Amino acid sequence: MSKIERRALLAGLTAAPFAAPGILRAQAARPVQIGLLSDMSGPFKDVGGPGNRVAAELAVQDFGGSLLGRPITLRQADGQNRADVSAGLAREWIDNLGVDVLVDGAASSSGLAIQEVCREKKRIYLITGPATSDMTGAKCSPYGMHFGFDTYALAHGTGTALTKSGGDSWYFITSDYAFGHALERDTMAAVRANGGKVLGAVRAPLNNADFSAFLIQARASGAKVIGMALAGVDLQNCIKQAAEFGITRGGTKLATLLVQVTDVVALGQRTCEGMVYTDSFYWDMTEATRAWSRRYIARMNSPPGLQHAAVYTGVTHWLKAAKEVGGLDADAVAARMKATPVNDFYNDNVRIREDGRTLHVMYLWQVKPAAEARHPFDFNKPLATIAPEDAWRPLSEGGCPLVRA
């Protein structure tokens, strides 16, 4: 906010007690503001980014465009996957612009910082970009609701399946920030719990272009599975270079622990054939998901991924709860959100737990051969359905201080 804007805001607040009733009514009818802090230019732009705004716009449109007699507006900014930038924007939006709810967050480190601001300011945070399971673990907040995925579910879905099918030795290539660390930790736990061994790990910087040295180390370890605790463009670069190196020719499997449909679009179906991954949403699951996705594709020319669906789910559920309680008080709305099942085009009576974890049904998917595709973006076939009680970390193991002993 500029100095001029700030002075104008302060002047308006000073004059408020003497304002005419009509002016006060106009202030009372200010728009309900939804703010998305996203990656608009970095490695997670395609999996979230501008598509998250489209998903939020569809949610607002389906809700009717207004809440409590006030129009609903959206704003979006680039958090740059930096905790300091994201926290600063969150604070500015809440303190000076009156944003009512925050969404997305992109990188896990950014999301954790946003969650702390929202805890302090008593604003609900709809977590859709960050994947670290710490969001509903030791770092949980009464105002944080985690939609979509987390590292525990991703790790236990893919990690358990591959270890049980014979991939009993692993080496990890891991993004060197909060998300990568959490995904590596949770996958290692799943591998060991199913009788596998971890032979080593290497850390790669965020937004890295060259994975050749890391892939050479992984191949030299002799591991049967190379676990890629990566996301976005980093994951795409590592997969492409693994193909160039012929990593899988000797029988080594690649465990792509966080794949989204936008990654398959970017890499091409032939490059991704046979990849196995865990996700709660696929655009071509049902008639309802296809109908919603067609609206999204008309705007973005690409199918929606899990984060886009999660934004729609989170925003819709928040709007419904605020309407039901008749206000925007964060404590009241959060209580209603947790007390009310989530229902939309891909969730059927899904519960939000007291730690903020949304207990979606998860699925194990495999990218099918391009020759089997019947239409554009026909990428996946289902391998398994994972019930919520098997997909998500037990409430007693997360360390969330909101959970009663």
Side-chain angles (χ1 to χ4, degrees):
M1 180 178 287
S2 69
K3 292 181 180 179
I4 293 174
E5 289 173 318
R6 200 179 300 277
R7 284 199 297 269
L9 175 64
L10 292 173
L13 292 173
T14 303
F18 309 102
I23 295 174
L24 292 176
R25 283 195 297 272
Q27 290 174 345
R30 69 172 181 81
V32 172
Q33 295 188 71
I34 299 172
L36 294 97
L37 285 166
S38 306
D39 180 351
M40 301 299 289
S41 56
F44 312 130
K45 176 184 175 183
D46 291 339
V47 298
N52 281 348
R53 184 181 182 110
V54 169
E57 288 172 349
L58 292 174
V60 171
Q61 177 184 332
D62 291 348
F63 191 74
S66 65
L67 173 65
L68 306 175
R70 295 156 55 184
I72 302 167
T73 61
L74 295 170
R75 64 173 69 244
Q76 187 174 41
D78 190 348
Q80 302 176 36
N81 297 313
R82 288 177 51 186
D84 57 341
V85 172
S86 297
L89 284 166
R91 195 175 297 278
E92 172 76 10
W93 280 5
I94 294 170
D95 287 346
N96 298 321
L97 300 180
V99 170
D100 297 293
V101 62
L102 293 176
V103 192
D104 191 3
S108 291
S109 51
S110 300
L112 289 167
I114 294 167
Q115 179 142 289
E116 289 309 304
V117 173
C118 288
R119 184 200 309 273
E120 174 192 342
K121 302 294 182 181
K122 293 190 175 182
R123 285 291 198 281
I124 287 176
Y125 175 30
L126 308 174
I127 308 157
T128 61
T132 176
S133 58
D134 294 340
M135 300 296 301
T136 56
K139 303 293 186 180
C140 73
S141 162
Y143 308 110
M145 315 277 174
H146 205 169
F147 295 87
F149 52 22
D150 71 20
T151 53
Y152 184 96
L154 297 172
H156 282 253
T158 307
T160 297
L162 288 177
T163 304
K164 284 185 173 180
S165 66
D168 56 4
S169 60
W170 288 60
Y171 190 96
F172 287 85
I173 300 175
T174 302
S175 284
D176 193 11
Y177 71 107
F179 154 75
H181 300 170
L183 186 52
E184 177 192 270
R185 175 199 66 205
D186 291 343
T187 309
M188 284 182 176
V191 169
R192 289 169 176 149
N194 287 280
K197 295 183 294 185
V198 176
L199 304 184
V202 64
R203 299 284 171 82
L206 179 64
N207 214 6
N208 185 56
D210 185 4
F211 285 86
S212 56
F214 306 131
L215 287 164
I216 289 169
Q217 286 178 253
R219 181 164 58 184
S221 74
K224 295 179 182 178
V225 179
I226 297 175
M228 295 183 178
L230 308 164
V233 175
D234 286 341
L235 175 66
Q236 294 170 21
N237 286 337
C238 194
I239 291 171
K240 284 188 286 188
Q241 290 166 31
E244 292 166 4
F245 276 51
I247 293 290
T248 60
R249 289 177 197 152
T252 303
K253 295 181 180 178
L254 298 180
T256 46
L257 299 168
L258 176 50
V259 174
Q260 298 183 63
V261 70
T262 44
D263 296 316
V264 182
V265 172
L267 290 166
Q269 190 166 357
R270 292 191 185 281
T271 300
C272 297
E273 285 179 5
M275 285 196 322
V276 174
Y277 68 97
T278 306
D279 204 333
S280 67
F281 171 79
Y282 174 50
W283 78 271
D284 203 11
M285 290 169 64
T286 66
E287 277 303 319
T289 61
R290 284 188 284 273
W292 184 83
S293 297
R294 281 192 289 269
R295 297 166 62 201
Y296 179 94
I297 292 169
R299 299 272 301 275
M300 292 298 293
N301 298 314
S302 181
L306 172 60
Q307 291 188 37
H308 307 126
V311 167
Y312 182 95
T313 293
V315 169
T316 298
H317 197 62
W318 178 79
L319 290 169
K320 288 178 180 178
K323 180 180 179 180
E324 288 172 6
V325 302
L328 300 178
D329 176 76
D331 291 295
V333 175
R336 183 58 61 92
M337 290 177 74
K338 292 178 181 179
T340 306
V342 179
N343 284 290
D344 55 34
F345 62 90
Y346 87 104
N347 292 288
D348 183 17
N349 287 326
V350 167
R351 186 169 66 91
I352 300 178
R353 219 163 48 181
E354 59 191 286
D355 60 354
R357 176 66 261 167
T358 307
L359 300 174
H360 306 278
V361 176
M362 298 294 282
Y363 302 90
L364 195 66
W365 302 96
Q366 185 171 40
V367 179
K368 64 172 116 176
E372 296 180 12
R374 299 163 297 170
H375 49 74
F377 311 130
D378 179 19
F379 296 144
N380 289 354
K381 61 181 179 182
L383 295 182
T385 299
I386 307 171
E389 58 269 24
D390 297 322
W392 305 102
R393 179 179 57 206
L395 189 60
S396 61
E397 295 179 10
C400 173
L402 303 176
V403 177
R404 301 180 190 88

